[in-house]
Amino acid sequence: MFVLCCSKHSSIQRQLFRRCAAGEKSRMRVLALLALLGCLQLTAAGLPFRLRPRGPWRGSSGPRAQPELSQPAPLISQCKEMWRPTRLDHFSEANPSEFQQRYFVCDKHWREGGSVFFYVGNEADVLLYLNNTGLMWELAPKYNALLVFAEHRYYGQSKPFPAKQLRKNMEWLTSEQAMADYATLIWELREQLKDPDVPVIGFGGSYGGMLGTWFRCKYPHLVDGVIAGSAPIWTYKGERPPYDDGSFAKIVTQDASAEGGSAPACASNVREAWKALMHLGKTEEGRQTIAVALQLCEDSRLDGKADVRALRDWAASAWDYLAMGDYPWPSSYIVNGAQPPLPAFPVRAACEHLADRDLPDDPPALLRALRSAIGVFYNHTRDLECFSFKQGPNPETDEDADFWGYQFWPEPFDEKATIEGCKATWGVTPRPLWATIQWGGRRLEGCSNIVWSNGLLDPWSGGGVLQNITGAKDLVAVIIPEGAHHLDLMFSNPADPPSVCEARAVEEHYIAKWIREARGRPQPSLLQHGALLAAQ
Ligand SMILES: *[C@@H]1O[C@H](CO)[C@@H](O)[C@H](O)[C@H]1NC(C)=O
Ligand SMILES: *[C@@H]1O[C@H](CO)[C@@H](O)[C@H](O)[C@H]1NC(C)=O
Ligand SMILES: *[C@@H]1O[C@H](CO)[C@@H](O)[C@H](O)[C@H]1NC(C)=O
């Protein structure tokens, strides 16, 4: 019945993860890690650029292509790149200008009477999601689905202003505006397909899953249901019970220990390495030792304690990314598609460098081992002569990473420091409670038709929906004990654990149900006022 299945020879240590479903409630307390900024400042109105005169996509009704079993040609060759004008500001008349939003339409499997599978774009070039959202591609033939990948404003190529002017014009970068872009796009697609009742299923991972969740709650007339992979919607201030802002680090640590299949000494060696860094960092001589052991570049001089702390945070964030990207097969998803991919289970690969229990006895050796371990992430290209701890692994996407910092608060969460940081970097003051006031925190009974999936290797799962929500229609939580960041949305792979296959089966069950319900929706009739009067 389900098109997705995995080979049976991949049973990973399921039993090791007992933190499933029920009993998880106490852990789901929240840090206000991701608080949407309500951008308050008013800046000069911008004019749209990037006006590419390409017409809107029109449905094609050619013969249906054969489903493909392997994927030799790049996926993008099955898609058309589209541009559409959309309002810069959907909610005010003060600035009526438009900009060009990019989206991709892939119609190989589309047939009249089919459905639209809509990727709710998040904080990167939308091609990253087109290339990696295998669940949409694998289900498309069976549901005659038109695949649409919509790019989030300000990211990728959907920039409302020329690069140099973007930073001065950030006020229209909000999730509300992005969702309004998607809403108007879906409205247009329906018209182009000449099928006002076409079922639309949303897909999104991470922030895309958060957007997908809010999109379904806000625009249920435009999207019939949403698969939200690893969407940490419960990480905001003001939730009851509050988010456990230690859960992220706790899960990263678990991944780097025997529980996560890693070398047993790894997590404690990493902790010792942080101590060694801070201890050596106190003296000039010690900082010299650190610089040599970690192979730091000339431009990354350690002039004092503050630099050492920044270095430590930079090294620690490698572990955060490795944990999010702890997939059972090689993947470059977490480095934004940059080649070569990270190895399978990259946390375990990093931990192999830190397996020796005696490392703490020799601090320089411990730091050299740490360098090799974080190199699994930062040096995945294996061509860095030295580390510059002010640089990410994929400089081309640094601008997107920057905007991410504008939209969301960094962690670990320190409200005061964060507000100061937002003011200094962006000139805006965050509104910590706005997300919860606007989207409802844990009170989602007014929503329906959402499947949230969470992998327990993923540090974001601590802010996700891990239990079915009762009292509303189809608010379903799916747990993938051996899954990293939205593993279920990726292409299926022989190395997938059975739990992700089961998760995809549940997701497909609901997709099929929502499509049936959308097609069976009773047609509203016009109530004649006169007839009503006459009947009195
Ligand atoms: C997506 O795939 C295409 C074709 O394989 C490639 O050229 C492009 O760099 C990829 N983009 C990302 C962001 O992964
Ligand atoms: C990056 O990897 C290469 C190849 O393994 C290695 O020679 C180089 O020293 C590494 N760079 C750093 C900064 O660790
Ligand atoms: C929620 O309900 C679905 C059945 O619709 C079930 O497959 C799933 O395991 C339940 N989730 C949890 C976390 O119990």
Side-chain angles (χ1 to χ4, degrees):
M1 147 161 205
F2 300 107
V3 292
L4 301 175
C5 57
C6 309
S7 66
K8 296 233 158 49
H9 63 258
S10 58
S11 134
I12 303 171
Q13 51 277 69
R14 257 186 122 162
Q15 308 318 320
L16 297 175
F17 293 85
R18 284 174 298 269
R19 314 183 323 109
C20 287
E24 197 61 4
K25 209 169 175 183
S26 63
R27 283 177 184 268
M28 301 191 312
R29 287 161 290 137
V30 176
L31 142 160
L33 191 151
L34 307 167
L36 285 178
L37 294 178
C39 309
L40 301 172
Q41 99 277 36
L42 290 167
T43 46
L47 287 169
F49 80 118
R50 193 190 292 287
L51 286 166
R52 298 201 191 171
R54 270 182 247 186
W57 177 84
R58 309 259 166 224
S60 82
S61 47
R64 190 184 176 193
Q66 288 301 307
E68 252 177 51
L69 294 176
S70 58
Q71 2 141 350
L75 295 169
I76 190 178
S77 68
Q78 302 180 31
C79 307
K80 294 191 195 85
E81 185 182 53
M82 311 295 303
W83 298 87
R84 64 185 286 271
T86 186
R87 277 184 74 103
L88 180 62
D89 188 347
H90 292 278
F91 308 111
S92 145
E93 291 303 317
N95 186 332
S97 63
E98 292 181 331
F99 72 98
Q100 294 289 317
Q101 180 192 15
R102 184 170 69 149
Y103 63 107
F104 285 86
V105 172
C106 324
D107 64 2
K108 181 173 174 177
H109 302 293
W110 163 254
R111 296 185 91 189
E112 260 171 53
S115 299
V116 172
F117 287 179
F118 187 94
Y119 190 88
V120 185
N122 37 308
E123 75 284 5
D125 184 322
V126 73
L127 277 177
L128 183 67
Y129 312 117
L130 184 151
N131 286 351
N132 287 285
T133 313
L135 185 66
M136 290 171 70
W137 288 99
E138 291 179 1
L139 292 178
K142 187 165 163 189
Y143 296 93
N144 301 332
L146 180 74
L147 301 183
V148 179
F149 295 88
E151 191 160 74
H152 193 299
R153 54 167 60 201
Y154 284 74
Y155 294 101
Q157 296 190 23
S158 298
K159 314 269 195 206
F161 298 90
K164 288 215 171 76
Q165 291 171 26
L166 269 173
R167 287 184 155 258
K168 283 179 282 164
N169 289 285
M170 298 293 282
E171 66 176 287
W172 299 280
L173 171 54
T174 67
S175 51
E176 294 90 332
Q177 298 279 10
M179 277 190 271
D181 294 337
Y182 302 148
T184 49
L185 170 55
I186 289 175
W187 188 274
E188 287 165 19
L189 286 167
R190 277 182 179 175
E191 292 189 338
Q192 286 156 19
L193 292 169
K194 300 191 175 59
D195 184 357
D197 291 317
V198 64
V200 178
I201 306 296
F203 295 77
S206 196
Y207 168 47
M210 302 165 77
L211 281 173
T213 299
W214 303 329
F215 193 59
R216 168 65 194 170
C217 298
K218 164 92 178 131
Y219 298 100
H221 52 292
L222 292 172
V223 63
D224 295 288
V226 164
I227 306 297
S230 294
I233 55 169
W234 289 342
T235 45
Y236 290 98
K237 191 171 172 168
E239 285 158 14
R240 285 181 308 128
Y243 173 57
D244 173 6
D245 62 5
S247 66
F248 192 99
K250 227 180 284 168
I251 298 167
V252 175
T253 308
Q254 262 166 19
D255 290 356
S257 48
E259 211 182 345
S262 297
C266 184
S268 68
N269 278 343
V270 175
R271 271 194 217 102
E272 291 303 318
W274 302 151
K275 278 190 219 155
L277 272 183
M278 296 323 286
H279 179 74
L280 288 167
K282 285 182 195 153
T283 65
E284 179 54 42
E285 199 195 335
R287 290 194 291 272
Q288 194 53 40
T289 306
I290 295 172
V292 172
L294 288 184
Q295 230 167 291
L296 299 185
C297 302
E298 292 291 318
D299 72 353
S300 288
R301 275 188 53 84
L302 299 171
D303 285 327
K305 265 204 206 152
D307 283 347
V308 177
R309 229 175 282 124
L311 171 68
R312 183 194 57 187
D313 292 349
W314 169 85
S317 66
W319 292 99
D320 296 347
Y321 284 108
L322 289 169
M324 281 186 252
D326 210 14
Y327 302 117
W329 27 261
S331 166
S332 62
Y333 180 76
I334 222 73
V335 284
N336 285 330
Q339 297 299 321
L342 302 188
F345 288 118
V347 175
R348 296 180 194 177
C351 277
E352 274 165 29
H353 299 286
L354 288 155
D356 182 354
R357 285 192 183 281
D358 297 330
L359 276 172
D361 299 339
D362 180 354
L366 177 64
L367 293 183
R368 284 195 298 274
L370 179 70
R371 168 172 60 82
S372 303
I374 62 175
V376 171
F377 178 68
Y378 287 125
N379 190 19
H380 74 105
T381 50
R382 296 184 203 104
D383 63 357
L384 292 187
E385 281 173 16
C386 55
F387 282 136
S388 176
F389 64 85
K390 281 166 193 138
Q391 236 187 343
N394 186 354
E396 295 115 78
T397 57
D398 274 1
E399 191 178 72
D400 283 349
D402 242 22
F403 292 156
W404 177 245
Y406 172 90
Q407 262 196 301
F408 291 102
W409 287 352
E411 60 92 40
F413 183 65
D414 172 343
E415 183 168 324
K416 209 166 144 244
T418 301
I419 290 175
E420 289 310 312
C422 283
K423 278 193 203 158
T425 313
W426 302 105
V428 293
T429 306
R431 288 184 276 161
L433 286 170
W434 179 236
T436 303
I437 293 171
Q438 179 168 228
W439 303 118
R442 291 171 198 269
R443 290 206 185 158
L444 295 178
E445 298 86 355
C447 304
S448 62
N449 293 10
I450 303 170
V451 173
W452 293 282
S453 61
N454 277 284
L456 299 185
L457 293 177
D458 176 17
W460 288 115
S461 59
V465 181
L466 302 177
Q467 277 178 309
N468 289 340
I469 296 177
T470 52
K473 178 177 171 289
D474 296 351
L475 294 182
V476 178
V478 170
I479 308 290
I480 308 163
E482 306 89 350
H485 208 40
H486 53 74
L487 173 63
D488 50 321
L489 299 188
M490 305 291 186
F491 281 95
S492 46
N493 185 291
D496 280 337
S499 60
V500 77
C501 308
E502 289 156 24
R504 289 180 183 135
V506 173
E507 288 161 0
E508 190 189 348
H509 167 84
Y510 283 98
I511 290 168
K513 179 171 185 266
W514 299 332
I515 290 174
R516 274 197 312 275
E517 289 169 354
R519 284 293 180 198
R521 182 184 290 129
Q523 293 299 315
S525 63
L526 192 62
L527 182 63
Q528 296 296 332
H529 185 253
L532 202 61
L533 271 182
Q536 294 301 306

